[in-house]
Amino acid sequence: MRQALIVWGGWEGHEPEAGARVVKAMLEEEGFAVRVENTTAAFADPAIAELSLIVPIYTMSKLAKAEEANLTKAVENGVGLGGYHGGMGDAFRESTDYQFMCGGQWVAHPGNIIDYRVNIVRRDDPIVNGIGDFAYRSEQYYMHVDPSNEVLATTTFSGEHAPWIDGVVMPVVWKRRHGKGRVFYSSLGHAAKEFEVPQMRTILRRGLVWAAR
């Protein structure tokens, strides 16, 4: 049986505990044995090198050097990494090795909670296959992203809330490699209720399964 670790914490505005419960159930339905921790000390455990998948749900906060080094080494050696929204894409802002591994970092969400569209750009990829473009209401993440990411979905900024970014096409969902490890990220999921959106939930579920070894 594949083993997964969810580590939740950080800023409460992203409802990390509730998100962790949803992701745990999702992974258990896929046949994983799931352990849940709520401290970054879990990343320093040498045993994470034997896992199939790690899911950080930990907006902001800080990662100790030993925790960062052990986590990134585990992924480089083949452990999968997957996550969503700020729990992965705005975690540990001071940890550049972590950001290098994830493939991106949040920097803004102009207008805060707004209506926007998500456009599927790799319709042949199993993670998004069968899912069409869809309307979404949440924070529209503006991110600094790695050009080596394999982008599966994007969103286009209207410029209504920041005129200078009118027309900017921003990745929303991507996958990548970090060493031998697979990495998956979706910027959707500001609040736990967003898991009720079928497209969001399906993309995340498929992405986490893809990332797991």
Side-chain angles (χ1 to χ4, degrees), residues 7 10 16 25 32 34-35 37 39 66 111 119 121 135 170 172 185 194 208:
V7 182
F32 286 82
V34 184
R35 188 170 105 243
E37 300 287 350
T39 169
N119 302 109
V121 296
M170 181 62 56
V172 171
Y185 176 74
E194 292 180 32
L208 295 178

Side-chain angles (χ1 to χ4, degrees), residues 26-150:
M26 184 184 296
L27 291 174
E28 287 175 340
E29 290 170 2
E30 292 288 344
F32 286 82
V34 184
R35 188 170 105 243
V36 179
E37 300 287 350
N38 65 351
T39 169
T40 59
F43 294 132
D45 183 357
I48 68 172
E50 304 304 317
L51 295 170
S52 295
L53 177 69
I54 297 172
V55 183
I57 307 177
Y58 223 107
T59 304
M60 294 184 276
S61 196
K62 292 188 177 182
L63 199 59
K65 280 293 183 183
E67 296 166 351
E68 180 182 40
N70 194 57
L71 173 60
T72 55
K73 181 181 178 182
V75 176
E76 285 178 26
N77 288 335
V79 178
L81 182 78
Y84 66 95
H85 201 65
M88 178 168 157
D90 187 25
F92 320 126
R93 294 177 180 176
E94 298 176 12
S95 299
T96 53
D97 285 347
Y98 171 84
Q99 295 168 17
F100 180 47
M101 173 178 65
C102 293
Q105 167 64 37
W106 168 87
V107 291
H109 42 67
N112 298 314
I113 303 296
I114 61 173
D115 295 305
Y116 62 97
R117 287 194 67 77
V118 176
N119 302 109
I120 305 300
V121 296
R122 280 288 310 276
R123 298 181 186 275
D124 60 329
D125 190 280
I127 294 174
V128 294
N129 185 255
I131 298 174
D133 299 348
F134 58 97
Y136 204 73
R137 181 170 179 80
S138 184
E139 293 173 334
Q140 187 181 29
Y141 262 21
Y142 198 97
M143 305 187 74
H144 289 171
V145 296
D146 192 319
S148 72
N149 293 342
E150 186 175 345

